[in-house]
Amino acid sequence: MSKPTDEPLVNEAAVMVSEAVAPRVPPSDPRPLRRAARLPPLNLFRVFDAAARNGNFTTAAEELCVTQSAVSQQIRQLEELLEVRLFRRMPRRVELTREGTALASAVGESMALLVRACERIADPKAPVVLCVNAPPAIASRWLVSRLKRFMQLYPQFKVTLLASNDPVDFDRQDIDVAIRWGHGDWPNARIELLAPDRLFPVCSPALLREGPPLLVPSDIIRHTLLQVVNGSFWGSWFGAAGAGGMAFDETLYFNDAGLMLDAAVQGQGVALASRLLAESDLKAGRLVRPFDLEIETGAGFHVLTSPDFSEKPAVAEFRRWIGLEGRESA
């Protein structure tokens, strides 16, 4: 007589453990296991909030300026998406179910947060942050010294200054105002000339005093020429000075006009600069003008704003103010 095996008992225990860990959907329930629900359309929560507060679909419809049937349909849509009943329909009113009460509390808090956030944004007394984007050279040498004056005139505006030469896209970047050098042909922007780009030579007082004399424009050939990569107008200046066609032995190139002017301040050579960029160094005596001749380049610094928001109070005031500053510096 063979001994009874324990295998059936082991298999039965394994099945019991498996079912305890991952219970099966009963055959009578046609619905699959529920996955993480996606958030229903937010407008449904607005309708639900009104109905929950008023306890009546008709009153909620009046508050939302829609029909009672529209409220009823949207509540039913929300219930179907969540797969729960949110209201018990009574003859002349509705009552929240247990699930409805829990949802109403969360929705009410969320709506209150949104209302407070919108009130802060729309409050005319609230500080407005204005994001200004400008190339490093003009940001540090011209704009920074003026921003305090702007904020004193308009204490309700706070300015954030970003230094960049990157292309401007108001639809993709969080920028209110941009300053860029060029010919005024940027797309999708309102463009206003800040100041025309009149260029003239500058150098340090020490170089003018101790280096080879700078008596006529052609004397510059005896010094190192400082210029920006892909942006030099030295040929035009020498042509206007009647000294065209000269070849220079030493030239230093820079990818930023501010670095070029730093080199000029340090006595590294002679640079061609605009009034806006050289203004602070000229006033402080760090740079001098060996010659008065200036040339027009047809380009200049421009103020760029979004066509959709250029008349927004903070942006409009900044445009007006910076335009005045540019005219005074030109």
Side-chain angles (χ1 to χ4, degrees):
M1 185 173 180
S2 61
K3 295 175 61 179
T5 177
D6 292 336
E7 185 175 348
L9 296 177
V10 173
N11 290 344
E12 183 177 355
V15 170
M16 292 174 64
V17 171
S18 175
E19 291 181 348
V21 173
R24 299 177 183 175
V25 177
S28 59
D29 188 349
R31 295 177 301 176
L33 287 173
R34 292 176 60 185
R35 298 179 180 177
R38 294 174 58 186
L39 189 67
L42 297 183
N43 187 57
L44 298 183
F45 292 111
R46 180 168 173 261
V47 174
F48 169 77
D49 176 69
R53 285 187 288 99
N54 289 285
N56 186 286
F57 287 178
T58 301
T59 307
E62 293 173 354
E63 177 183 313
L64 299 171
C65 298
V66 297
T67 63
Q68 187 272 346
S69 62
V71 171
S72 180
Q73 290 173 6
Q74 293 189 63
I75 293 297
R76 190 172 299 280
Q77 181 183 352
L78 182 60
E79 290 178 326
E80 290 175 355
L81 289 170
L82 298 177
E83 298 183 0
V84 295
R85 285 188 62 191
L86 301 172
F87 291 98
R88 288 185 289 271
R89 277 69 169 173
M90 314 298 285
R92 294 187 178 181
R93 59 189 176 86
V94 291
E95 290 182 352
L96 289 166
T97 62
R98 181 175 64 254
E99 294 83 358
T101 300
L103 183 61
S105 176
V107 171
E109 292 178 5
S110 300
M111 296 294 288
L113 284 173
L114 289 172
V115 169
R116 288 196 293 272
C118 291
E119 287 176 346
R120 286 195 297 269
I121 293 172
D123 185 359
K125 298 180 181 179
V128 176
V129 178
L130 194 67
C131 184
V132 180
N133 186 294
I138 194 169
S140 61
R141 293 179 176 271
W142 184 81
L143 185 56
V144 165
S145 63
R146 290 166 166 77
L147 285 181
K148 186 175 181 180
R149 182 158 63 244
F150 172 77
M151 290 189 289
Q152 288 173 340
L153 290 171
Y154 304 97
Q156 70 274 30
F157 302 146
K158 307 299 180 185
V159 178
T160 297
L161 178 59
L162 304 178
S164 171
N165 285 306
D166 295 337
V168 177
D169 187 341
F170 289 106
D171 292 331
R172 296 179 177 272
Q173 298 166 308
D174 190 13
I175 299 173
D176 297 301
V177 181
I179 299 174
R180 289 294 186 271
W181 184 90
H183 292 83
D185 52 358
W186 295 274
N188 305 318
R190 176 171 178 167
I191 303 166
E192 297 163 288
L193 181 65
L194 178 60
D197 208 23
R198 292 198 293 268
L199 302 181
F200 47 84
V202 294
C203 64
S204 71
L207 183 143
L208 187 64
R209 183 176 59 250
E210 301 169 5
L214 287 171
L215 303 178
V216 294
S218 59
D219 287 340
I220 297 179
I221 197 172
R222 301 159 68 185
H223 295 266
T224 300
L225 207 65
L226 308 179
Q227 67 180 55
V228 177
V229 177
N230 299 326
S232 175
F233 290 90
W234 271 117
S236 299
W237 188 88
F238 282 119
M246 294 190 303
F248 291 86
D249 294 334
E250 294 187 8
T251 303
L252 283 178
Y253 295 90
F254 303 85
N255 71 340
D256 178 77
L259 295 176
M260 178 189 69
L261 292 178
D262 286 339
V265 168
Q266 295 167 17
Q268 299 298 311
V270 183
L272 202 60
S274 68
R275 189 177 299 275
L276 260 64
L277 292 183
E279 181 183 71
S280 61
D281 289 317
L282 290 171
K283 288 181 177 179
R286 292 186 292 268
L287 290 176
V288 294
R289 298 178 58 171
F291 305 104
D292 292 331
L293 176 65
E294 298 181 352
I295 61 168
E296 293 275 0
T297 66
F301 285 102
H302 294 76
V303 178
L304 282 61
T305 53
S306 167
D308 297 328
F309 299 100
S310 61
E311 296 301 331
K312 182 180 175 182
V315 177
E317 292 292 355
F318 191 86
R319 285 175 39 236
R320 186 193 65 80
W321 170 82
I322 200 172
L324 291 173
E325 294 289 333
R327 286 190 288 274
E328 289 180 3
S329 296

